[in-house]
Each structure stands twice: as structure tokens, then as C-alpha cells.
Amino acid sequence: MNPDTELAPAVQSILAAARERAGGEGVVDVDARSLADALADAEADGRVPLIAEVKPTSPTAEGTRDDDPVELARAMVAGGAAAISVLTEPSHFGGSPEALTRIREAVDVPVLRKDFIVDESGMDLVEADLLLLIVRFVDDLEALVAAARERGFQPLVEVHDRDELETALEAGADLIGVNNRDLATLEVDLETVESVAPNVPEDVTLIAESGVSSPGDVRRMREADADALLVGSAIMGHGGDSDVTENTRRLVRAESMDAADLATASATTTAHDGDSQT
Ligand SMILES: O=P(O)(O)OC[C@@H](O)[C@@H](O)c1c[nH]c2ccccc12
């Protein structure tokens, strides 16, 4: 792993907290819902394959959304989300493993556990269909990918540049998330996906993560060859009470819109920016 000194202070604090947290007791055995099937169903249905994220807050959010996580997840599925991502990190994102369990019981789409897993025992805290592993934060990625699969999880391996992509591919990842947010600076740049995507092999599922806020951004990521998108803030609308179903639908329909719809949706996005954030 790269040294912590290169990371934004908020990220260092998140990692320190992750290393302190207790893992699970025993080893989980998950009967996972297939992400590949869920993405294919969305495509067949004319929806942009979108993983919508229940993220009550974040170090870069301007507020907290403290609605019931189950209601938020249901609203996202009603808006056409192919899968749900749930932050389980408690001290910086307002998440909890219990919220994930409740959500997974309430919806029938695959559920991704979003957390900062640093060792095997961290995986055993709660069952989920997918588990995030961040290349930058783990020492032995190959061992963690194998450990995740042994438990039945579909590991989603997060990278930010071509070197990390190489590491992920060497570790056998077949589900790769390219994070547009740089964890060293917390800055978002959609060019990240555009520059890494050409090196992702065809048989690997590529997920564009972070910073997608408008139907135009969705199209841009799809044009860069993203198989699916992971969107949190633009759907959650932190600090406000915008309609999560509508926020989801607007992005899921980005490829079926005509020019007039697109102009209206972009205007809505702009109006939105006042009380939301990225
Ligand atoms: O809220 P955004 O910009 O739509 O981003 C969602 C997701 O990509 C982001 O929450 C994320 C990507 N990788 C992470 C790792 C840990 C915590 C959070 C994340």
C-alpha cells in the first residue's frame, strides 16, 4: 500500500478508524445475487445500469440525509437502480452494517458493501452480494480477492490509475471500479475513467465511480465504455430533501432521452446544485 502521508487528512482518519474497528466473529457464507444478471436486466430494459448508493453523509458532503436507509434504497430501486451500494463505515459516512442487512432484506437487487476493508476479518462483519476492495488501501490484494470469493462475495476492486488497474488485473479481479475521485486530494475528475478505461480488458466489467451528477455525465461515462455507473451524492441530495426516485430515474434514463428531455434534465440538475453537492 502507498504511504498514508500521500492521502488527504480525512482519508487518513477514515483508515485509522477502519484499522481500529473489530471484524466479524466467524466466517460469513453468502448466497450472492448476481451483479452481472442485474446489469444485463437493466440493459435489456433500456435502463442505464446504475448502482445507486445509500450514503447518509461523507467528508465532502455539505449535509447529512438521515431518512430511513431502507426507504432510500426502495426509492432508488423504484427509480430503476440495477443494484444498491450501502456505506457501512460509521464514523465518517453515517453508515452501519445493520442498515445494509435491513436493506438487503427489503430489496431484491444485489447489494454492495461499501467500506474500507483492510483485512479478512473485516469481511465477516455483515453479509452482502458484493464487497468493495480498494487497491490503494490493501497490502495483499490477491489474498483478499480470494478470501472474498471463498465467502461467496463478488469482489469489486477499486482503482484510480493504470498502475492500480494492473495490480487489480494481476490479482484476478473481473469487476473493476474506476474512482473518479482522487483519494489523495478528494478532487473529482471524470477524465480518470476516460484515461483508464481503454486499458480494461473486454471481459472485465468496468464501473465508473463518483462525480456523476447529470444525464450528460452518465452519457460521457458510457461513451468511455463504462458497463455501469456508481452514483451516490447526486441521488442522495445531501442537505436537502429532493426526491430520490426522481434523482435516480433522471440518470437511469439518460440514454433514452431526446435532446429536449436532456435540456430539461440539465436545467433540473443546475437548480439542484444549490442544495446538493458532489
Ligand atoms: O457520491 P458520488 O460522487 O456519486 O460517489 C459515489 C461513490 O463512488 C463514492 O461514494 C465512493 C467511491 N469509492 C469509495 C470508497 C469508499 C467510500 C466511498 C466511495
Side-chain angles (χ1 to χ4, degrees), residues 4-257:
D4 288 4
T5 45
E6 292 173 21
L7 300 171
V11 179
Q12 291 186 39
S13 154
I14 292 167
L15 277 178
R19 292 187 187 116
E20 290 296 306
R21 259 183 292 149
E25 290 164 18
V27 176
V28 295
D29 180 13
V30 183
D31 182 13
R33 304 168 190 167
S34 160
L35 181 72
D37 289 353
L39 300 184
D41 286 353
E43 290 271 11
D45 203 27
R47 287 176 283 138
V48 172
L50 187 120
I51 306 173
E53 184 161 278
V54 177
K55 176 163 72 168
T57 189
S58 83
T60 54
E62 279 163 19
T64 298
R65 183 126 190 194
D66 47 22
D67 312 41
D68 178 7
V70 170
E71 290 313 314
L72 290 169
R74 283 204 175 106
M76 291 166 176
V77 173
I84 299 292
S85 165
V86 183
L87 255 303
T88 55
E89 204 278 347
S91 49
H92 300 73
F93 292 87
S96 73
E98 295 73 28
L100 186 147
T101 301
R102 290 177 53 227
I103 288 171
R104 192 160 178 257
E105 278 166 13
V107 300
D108 54 14
V109 300
V111 178
L112 163 68
R113 177 176 170 210
K114 227 12 173 18
D115 209 324
F116 297 80
I117 305 285
V118 288
D119 56 26
E120 262 193 65
S121 74
M123 299 182 182
D124 293 318
L125 208 53
V126 60
E127 290 188 19
D129 304 290
L130 300 127
L131 187 72
L132 185 76
L133 295 173
I134 304 172
V135 168
R136 178 150 192 169
F137 298 154
V138 301
D139 290 321
D140 189 349
L141 181 65
E142 196 169 345
L144 288 184
V145 166
R149 289 192 177 130
E150 273 160 27
R151 288 162 168 79
F153 293 112
Q154 299 156 91
L156 168 61
V157 178
E158 179 175 305
V159 307
H160 182 67
D161 58 30
R162 287 184 204 174
D163 286 348
E164 290 185 358
L165 173 65
E166 273 318 303
T167 307
L169 294 172
E170 278 163 22
D174 56 5
L175 205 52
I176 293 191
V178 179
N179 194 354
N180 284 312
R181 188 181 296 281
D182 183 347
L183 294 165
T185 60
L186 295 181
E187 297 292 323
V188 163
D189 186 347
L190 298 187
E191 263 182 49
T192 312
V193 164
E194 291 171 331
S195 70
V196 176
N199 298 288
V200 175
E202 264 305 305
D203 56 352
V204 166
T205 300
L206 167 61
I207 300 181
E209 301 181 353
S210 305
V212 169
S213 59
S214 67
D217 292 343
V218 171
R219 289 173 176 226
R220 184 170 161 191
M221 293 295 95
R222 293 281 279 170
E223 275 158 22
D225 262 355
D227 296 301
L229 280 79
L230 175 55
V231 183
S233 309
I235 291 176
M236 291 293 294
H238 297 119
D241 60 354
S242 59
D243 184 331
V244 167
T245 298
E246 270 314 310
N247 294 347
T248 308
R249 191 172 284 144
R250 199 164 62 87
L251 301 178
V252 158
R253 288 186 177 165
E255 288 180 319
S256 44
M257 283 177 170

